[in-house]
Amino acid sequence: MNGLSGRSGIHIAGSSAIVIIILLAFQVGVVAVGEAGDIQISPDGLGYRFEQDGWTYLHTGGSPYERGFQHGYLMAPEIEEIMSSLRYLTFYNTGMEFDFFAESAVEMYLPTIDEEYILEMQGIADGANAAGTKVTFQDILGWNSYKETVGYRWPIVKSGVYAGMEDEMDGCSAFIATGSATEDGDIVIAHTTWTPYERARFFHVISDLNPDTGNSILMQTAPGLIDSSTDFLVTGAGLMITETTISGFNKYETNKTPSFMRLRKAAQYADDLDSFVTIMNTNRSGGFANSWLVGDAKTGEIMRFEQGLKFFNVSKTTDGYFVGANSVEDPMIRNLECSGLDPSEIRGSVGSRMVRLPELMEEYAGEINTENAKTILSDHYDVWQEEEIPSSRTVEGHYELDPIPAYNREPYKPSGSYDGKTTNSSMAMNMSFIARWGAPSGIGFDADAYLEEHPQFGYLEGYLDSFPVCSWNFFEAGETV
């Protein structure tokens, strides 16, 4: 790129970026590839990656540009694949080119993004280019803000009014519990992400991020992103963070701070629950409106933080639980900023899970731990059909198996749960969690067999990966091969 500038006061010219690359390459040394394909770009172990049972563990650290460069260099092949997929699927799903959204992101968001994160994203782009993947800062910003520009802003721009969401926002199941609800009285948190499988395949990264300022972060993410996006993370401050997106949310304001930067900043710099809320609420846009479930491992206190555009709600406890199923308790957010959200409608995905998750919390009351958290995430009881059958209404969601899906989704759409994560206070204080790639229950997904059986989704051929059956794995900060 020729350069970028904004109110942040940063200006990165092409020649300056090249000089920085040369200096960084001199510092980190020669690229080494291990026998198992593990890659290291730093002799001191600062930047490296390795594969583990479906996951890619990525370790980066240092100054903003340095850690970004490590990320981009190490994940260059995956970033290239993501960009190819985004360009095809964005046009197919919206009729607009990916570059339209990336250019909009530069115009809207660049003046609101801290210099630290501009440098990190520039580093990602430069690192990927140094490894042979042609990508620009604009591309990386477009990818980081994709959920917001396509899912929240675009429906408004397209219609000229506040329209219903066109992206799938009714995904993810989660809970957080503490005190007498758990086996040892500590916090237990768990989450399974629901996403269309053509995008889900990219969120296989366990990022061990060690910035030179603020908290270290261990999180699930995707190549090229500076935040989690799937939102399961623990921080050096002892915060345990997850969320479920508020379904039917339809309010958005442009030229505000994008959600990906607010979350990354909150994870990196918040030391307690209150400072997390403060950072997340600063100059918020309404993009990626969520019901956040956050625990402080230092105190045992947990929080449900429901964040809309004009309204937000905070509930805390040291004895009890909160569940997440893409619903919202706050009447103002639900009635004034959402459309079509009815938590009592058990024929829908939200209503059915808002019945089932509390049932499971009560069933395991006093015994909740990371082991039965796996069972809760794997639950297949459909409260509408009153039987054990994986569907769009179960805690572990499976649209691809559902002939009568919730809302107006297409029957058998390839979308649903593709991961499971859980941790407790003790593990979080040691910067660790347990994760499974693929559905928490172990249900596999064969892309070739699926497309043969459901030719109506043939446009996804080449952009849909299988999810083989993997095991639960333990991950911790500082882990090596």
Side-chain angles (χ1 to χ4, degrees), residues 57-259:
Y57 186 99
L58 174 67
H59 186 286
T60 59
S63 69
Y65 187 87
E66 288 174 333
R67 63 188 184 244
F69 188 92
Q70 295 159 24
H71 181 149
Y73 194 99
L74 291 164
M75 304 303 299
E78 288 88 350
I79 290 173
E80 183 173 25
E81 185 179 6
I82 286 170
M83 289 299 140
S84 174
S85 179
L86 286 177
R87 294 186 190 285
Y88 170 73
L89 291 171
T90 301
F91 185 68
Y92 187 92
N93 291 325
T94 70
M96 303 295 291
E97 299 285 354
F98 170 75
D99 287 346
F100 165 79
F101 296 104
E103 290 166 4
S104 297
V106 171
E107 179 182 349
M108 288 191 303
Y109 303 138
L110 194 60
T112 73
I113 299 174
D114 291 356
E115 179 176 321
E116 173 178 5
Y117 303 118
I118 293 176
L119 279 169
E120 188 169 339
M121 287 186 286
Q122 181 69 52
I124 292 172
D126 290 345
N129 274 281
T133 291
K134 294 183 179 180
V135 65
T136 66
F137 171 88
Q138 177 177 293
D139 292 332
I140 297 300
L141 177 57
W143 171 221
N144 274 269
S145 59
Y146 190 81
K147 192 178 302 183
E148 190 158 333
T149 55
V150 177
Y152 289 81
R153 180 175 181 266
W154 175 238
I156 297 170
V157 173
K158 180 180 177 181
S159 66
V161 297
Y162 282 109
M165 306 319 299
E166 297 181 356
D167 207 10
E168 295 188 12
M169 296 299 176
D170 61 329
C172 305
S173 299
F175 74 83
I176 190 168
T178 191
S180 63
T182 65
E183 183 179 62
D184 299 322
D186 60 357
I187 299 172
V188 177
I189 190 170
H191 181 269
T192 177
T193 318
W194 296 23
T195 298
Y197 292 157
E198 64 268 25
R199 291 202 306 267
R201 63 195 182 115
F202 297 124
F203 289 88
H204 58 84
V205 176
I206 303 295
S207 173
D208 178 12
L209 179 62
N210 298 269
D212 57 352
T213 58
N215 304 316
S216 54
I217 303 168
L218 186 71
M219 63 182 174
Q220 178 190 11
T221 187
L225 298 183
I226 67 168
D227 75 324
S228 172
S229 188
T230 55
D231 295 328
F232 190 85
L233 55 161
V234 295
T235 79
L239 295 189
M240 309 156 68
I241 304 168
T242 196
E243 52 81 12
T244 64
T245 309
I246 297 174
S247 182
F249 191 85
N250 60 18
K251 297 292 180 285
Y252 187 75
E253 287 187 1
T254 59
N255 301 314
K256 300 289 187 177
T257 305
S259 56

